[in-house]
């Protein structure tokens, strides 16, 4: 039982160190953006999937300015790959940045940085979901979620939001129950 907690604590600590080392927040702030940490690092629910998720907001979306911040991030020697997708003219009104970071222990971390126009349809939506998850966490529920994430077999991808939904709504308490829940309760909308 302690193994999964130690892993979660270690990943939380390391994730925050990586944010500082790579200057993620400072790189976005240098272009006048507000960077918000979301996802499992924010909620304390990171387990085996090493993701750092951020939503980044500016009044307008400038590809040039977004690239300026991304270039600063990409210059860190741990960043081994970086991709971007221009979704400015879509409902999402954003620029997606995905980076791969390898730490000194050769662990691979994925950065998802979504650069969003302030006051667009999705402004603050995921932050509200993240806050709602955090507000519902009791020590027992947090341990349940971390244990389930720990027990998901390697190679099987289950979005964290699907696990949270199963635990909060379905009363799921272990990985076996999660497998059964997913058969009859497919998650069709992650928000």
């Amino acid at each position: 039982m302690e193994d999964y907690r130690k892993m979660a604590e270690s990943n939380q600590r390391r994730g925050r160190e990586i944010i500082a080392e790579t200057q993620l927040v400072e790189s976005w702030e240098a272009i006048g953006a507000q960077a918000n940490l979301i996802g499992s690092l924010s909620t304390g629910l990171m387990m085996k999937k090493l993701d750092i998720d951020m939503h980044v907001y500016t009044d307008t979306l400038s590809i040039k300015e977004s690239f300026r911040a991304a270039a600063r991030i990409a210059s860190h020697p741990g960043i081994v790959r970086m991709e971007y997708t221009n979704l400015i003219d879509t409902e999402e009104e954003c620029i997606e940045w995905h980076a791969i970071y390898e730490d000194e222990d050769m662990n691979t971390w994925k950065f998802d940085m979504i650069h969003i126009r302030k006051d667009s349809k999705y402004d603050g939506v995921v932050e509200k979901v993240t806050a709602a998850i955090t507000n519902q966490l009791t020590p027992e529920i947090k341990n349940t979620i971390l244990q389930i994430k720990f027990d998901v077999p390697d190679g099987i991808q289950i979005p964290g939001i699907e696990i949270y939904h199963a635990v909060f709504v379905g009363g799921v308490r272990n990985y076996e129950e999660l497998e059964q829940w997913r058969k009859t309760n497919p998650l069709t909308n992650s928000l």
Side-chain angles (χ1 to χ4, degrees), residues 49 149 157-164 182 187 190:
K49 189 176 175 188
K149 284 183 164 190
Q157 297 293 321
I158 302 174
I161 194 74
E162 189 171 359
I163 295 170
Y164 312 151
R182 293 180 75 213
L187 187 63
S190 64

Side-chain angles (χ1 to χ4, degrees), residues 1 27 64 114 128 137 172:
M1 188 168 198
S27 297
K64 181 179 178 180
I114 313 302
K128 289 176 186 166
L137 288 178
V172 167

Side-chain angles (χ1 to χ4, degrees), residues 61-111:
L61 290 176
S62 163
I63 292 173
K64 181 179 178 180
E65 288 299 296
S66 198
F67 263 92
R68 191 162 67 90
R72 183 173 164 174
I73 294 163
S75 69
H76 189 281
I79 301 290
V80 296
R81 187 170 80 225
M82 197 149 182
E83 300 173 357
Y84 115 108
T85 304
N86 180 342
L87 299 171
I88 292 173
D89 294 325
T90 69
E91 179 182 57
E92 286 85 4
E93 293 188 67
C94 70
I95 300 169
E96 290 187 2
W97 290 99
H98 304 284
I100 300 297
Y101 173 89
E102 288 183 359
D103 68 18
E104 61 276 353
D105 297 322
M106 299 309 291
N107 295 311
T108 300
W109 291 74
K110 183 180 177 200
F111 297 179

